[in-house]
Amino acid sequence: MTPGSDPAPESPLPVARDLGTRAGDFRLRMSVIARETEIALDMTRDRYGRTVHEGAAAASRAHRDKAAVEAYATHLAPYADALLDAAHRALDELPPARHITGWRTVLDGLAVSAAEIRRALDRPAAPGSAVRTQHAALWPYLAAWAEHGFIASNLADQHQHYKVPLADEEQQAWTERAQAAQRRGELELTESWYAADGQPITLAHLIEDDDSTVVALRGDPDAPGWQVIGHFAHEYEAGQVLPAPVPPGVLGADVSVFNRPVPAPEISLQELIRDVIEAQHAGDASNALLGATQRGYHAGPMVRLQELLETAGQFASALETVQGRQIAARLTALGRQIDFLIREVHDAAEDLGATVAVLPPHRTPVLRVRPRPAVDTTPPTPPARTTTARHR
């Protein structure tokens, strides 16, 4: 049997949970492969991140592609179709929600990837450059399974164990108690996830008279309209009763952990600080400041900080919560301040370079190595030791 063919009839397929475990094992192995590859590729770059050993970099990627194919054949190839079938059945039973269409598209993409990988495994290329080319062509499909296979695993393992909510009167009473605790600052949020219907579920500790009760909230705790849907003795009991969590979303739909772009060359902030410390001419210190504020492909650390704030603001806004929108507004304001600071530093750097000045000579360096006596010289005679008489 080839790695890509179906398992023998006498080898029954694992149950849904075991199928998900197979996909998890593959993702874990792919994470190790990706990490090892990054370490190997780092050895092929200079201190600015530029690749200087192309042959070694190509060899590292070829090793990565081969290891990924072997990992798929070992952990997932015999089970991919069964996992997708179980995921599709579970998806058809879920209530309507905004994420259902996206998940169905992911499953379709995983099915295409599985078919491409199976086709290659059933017809392996000849050893040498041909097999390396085949493995390289399979990497995007293998990465797709490593990146998004958890959605199929989660769907295959979905089990609706959510019990009937609290009675209307009890639910209203617990909601009012939780709202009062929130106003007192005694509703401590501990964990949050989304249920299959797209509603957020949040666990919290409701504190009353030094007594704490675990409650579950449905809805945004910082927006009007949230409700308590259950109270429990501890988190484990809540996990056995509440709707199971579904995979969280992503900030960028086209971003892949396993296909990161080659990092742009950059100079660290520490190196720029060192350049200023070692500088003797105003122009050298000016260049360090200009490097920190440079924009574009070779962006400096200050510009990267602004990009970080902008991206974090996008993430906070994408949470679609009251707190998230407030934090996004704060980060946006901070980003504008950083942009103003970048322009000010850039102007100061140009002014510093225009001074055409050097450090005065009285700022003499300190010699770190003390002069040693010549080999043929006699060391100086140590001073005579004097003895002081003791008086009783």
Side-chain angles (χ1 to χ4, degrees):
M1 180 182 73
T2 60
S5 58
D6 294 331
E10 61 270 19
S11 302
L13 287 171
V15 297
R17 178 165 301 192
D18 292 336
L19 288 171
T21 301
R22 301 280 182 171
D25 292 341
F26 173 67
R27 179 182 175 86
L28 179 60
R29 179 60 189 140
M30 283 286 285
S31 298
V32 174
I33 293 170
R35 179 57 183 161
E36 292 174 345
T37 304
E38 281 301 315
I39 294 174
L41 290 176
D42 285 342
M43 301 296 292
T44 69
R45 301 177 181 129
D46 63 12
R47 61 178 179 167
Y48 301 118
R50 296 172 298 200
T51 300
V52 292
H53 302 291
E54 292 288 352
S60 297
R61 294 189 184 93
H63 178 76
R64 174 202 67 181
D65 299 341
K66 181 175 181 292
V69 171
E70 293 173 349
Y72 185 89
T74 301
H75 297 290
L76 202 51
Y79 313 102
D81 290 340
L83 176 60
L84 289 174
D85 290 342
H88 273 292
R89 288 194 299 270
L91 188 64
D92 293 338
E93 298 174 0
L94 293 181
R98 292 169 59 186
H99 54 264
I100 297 299
T101 300
W103 282 0
R104 200 175 299 279
T105 301
V106 168
L107 294 182
D108 293 341
L110 292 177
V112 172
S113 297
E116 291 293 335
I117 299 170
R118 184 190 309 110
R119 188 178 297 111
L121 292 178
D122 289 341
R123 294 194 297 272
S129 60
V131 72
R132 287 195 296 271
T133 301
Q134 184 185 60
H135 290 170
L138 289 179
W139 172 255
Y141 303 113
L142 296 164
W145 265 99
E147 192 80 38
H148 307 298
F150 72 95
I151 293 180
S153 301
N154 184 277
L155 283 169
D157 192 32
Q158 275 289 328
H159 45 281
Q160 300 301 320
H161 51 58
Y162 182 39
K163 295 182 179 179
V164 178
L166 301 174
D168 292 343
E169 297 80 4
E170 188 179 7
Q171 185 181 69
Q172 182 64 28
W174 275 96
T175 300
E176 291 175 356
R177 290 171 61 181
Q179 290 172 345
Q182 186 183 49
R183 289 190 293 269
R184 298 193 307 267
E186 294 183 330
L187 185 68
E188 299 178 356
L189 309 183
T190 61
E191 186 180 0
S192 179
W193 67 88
Y194 276 88
D197 60 359
Q199 287 293 318
I201 306 295
T202 303
L203 287 184
H205 287 280
L206 172 59
I207 302 173
E208 295 174 314
D209 300 328
D210 296 330
D211 186 27
S212 178
T213 304
V214 176
V215 294
L217 320 177
R218 180 185 289 273
D220 183 356
D222 295 302
W226 60 268
Q227 293 178 319
V228 173
I229 60 173
H231 55 90
F232 315 93
H234 42 70
E235 285 84 353
Y236 179 78
E237 180 187 357
Q240 298 300 305
V241 176
L242 293 171
V246 298
V250 294
L251 180 60
D254 57 346
V255 174
S256 170
V257 175
F258 296 94
N259 284 303
R260 288 185 171 182
V262 177
E266 62 180 0
I267 302 177
S268 71
L269 192 59
Q270 294 184 62
E271 189 165 353
L272 293 174
I273 294 172
R274 196 67 196 177
D275 287 346
V276 175
I277 294 175
E278 297 173 353
Q280 294 178 308
H281 297 262
D284 296 333
S286 171
N287 288 336
L289 291 174
L290 291 174
T293 59
Q294 183 174 350
R295 301 180 185 272
Y297 180 71
H298 297 276
M302 294 188 68
V303 177
R304 295 297 186 199
L305 175 59
Q306 182 187 18
E307 293 175 357
L308 173 61
L309 293 178
E310 291 177 351
T311 306
Q314 295 171 9
F315 180 92
S317 178
L319 294 175
E320 299 183 4
T321 63
V322 171
Q323 285 273 23
R325 286 189 288 271
Q326 292 173 351
I327 295 172
R330 290 170 56 191
L331 291 172
T332 299
L334 290 171
R336 288 196 295 265
Q337 295 178 33
I338 291 293
D339 183 63
F340 172 78
L341 183 60
I342 290 171
R343 287 186 271 112
E344 287 293 306
V345 172
H346 185 86
D347 292 344
E350 291 185 335
D351 292 342
L352 179 61
T355 60
V356 194
V358 297
L359 293 176
H362 65 76
R363 301 186 66 87
T364 308
V366 177
L367 195 62
R368 292 184 175 273
V369 181
R370 294 181 178 180
R372 300 179 60 184
V375 178
D376 56 351
T377 60
T378 303
T381 303
R385 308 179 83 181
T386 58
T387 303
T388 305
R390 290 189 178 180
H391 299 278
R392 295 182 183 273

